Amino acid sequence: MVEELKIYKDVSELVKRVFIIIKNFPRDYKFTLGTKIQNVALDCVDLIYRSSRHKEKANYLDELVANLDFLSFLMRTSKDLNILTERQFAIFIELRQPCVKQASGWLKATK
C-alpha cells in the first residue's frame, strides 16, 4: 500500500506543515501564493499515488521532483517577502530534503 511507503509518510508530513504555515499567511498572500503552495504540495501526494500504481513511474517521479523544487521556490519567495520566518523555512527545507532524495532514488531505480 502506498500509505506504507516512507516517501508517502515524509511528503504527507511536509504537506501538513505547509498547511499549518499557510493558515497564518497574511490575507494579501493567503489566497494567491498560499493557495498555489497548497496545490503544489497536494500534487506531490497525488504523484506518489500515481507513480505507485503505474508501471511507467518515471514521468510521475520526474514531475514529483519538479514539484518539490517548485515548492521550494514558492516557500523561498514567501521567506523573501517576510511571510515566513527563517525558522519556518528551515523546517520546510529539513522536511523537503528526504522527500527529494527518496523521489530521486526511486526515479533512478526505475530507469
Side-chain angles (χ1 to χ4, degrees):
M1 277 187 122
V2 72
E3 291 87 4
E4 295 170 4
L5 295 173
K6 180 158 175 31
I7 190 169
Y8 172 82
K9 292 174 185 175
D10 289 348
V11 169
S12 292
E13 185 59 36
L14 180 71
V15 170
K16 282 188 263 183
R17 180 63 64 157
V18 163
F19 271 75
I20 290 167
I21 291 169
I22 300 303
K23 185 169 67 171
N24 297 316
F25 264 36
R27 180 177 233 166
D28 291 349
Y29 298 103
K30 186 178 280 192
F31 301 106
T32 52
L33 184 57
T35 298
K36 183 66 174 179
I37 291 169
Q38 288 172 325
N39 289 337
V40 172
L42 288 172
D43 285 346
C44 289
V45 176
D46 179 50
L47 289 165
I48 292 169
Y49 269 103
R50 290 175 186 273
S51 63
S52 71
R53 294 174 187 252
H54 288 89
K55 287 183 181 181
E56 296 297 322
K57 299 176 183 327
N59 289 338
Y60 296 110
L61 294 170
D62 273 335
E63 193 173 344
L64 175 58
V65 172
N67 276 14
L68 288 166
D69 288 344
F70 186 51
L71 188 58
S72 185
F73 165 77
L74 294 169
M75 295 297 275
R76 180 174 300 283
T77 300
S78 300
K79 183 182 77 65
D80 292 347
L81 292 169
N82 296 315
I83 300 168
L84 291 182
T85 65
E86 289 285 335
R87 175 96 175 110
Q88 288 172 316
F89 185 69
I91 290 169
F92 165 77
I93 293 299
E94 244 176 66
L95 291 170
R96 177 192 167 274
Q97 195 62 25
C99 299
V100 171
K101 188 174 181 179
Q102 290 173 70
S104 298
W106 197 9
L107 177 60
K108 196 176 198 179
T110 62
K111 289 186 175 180

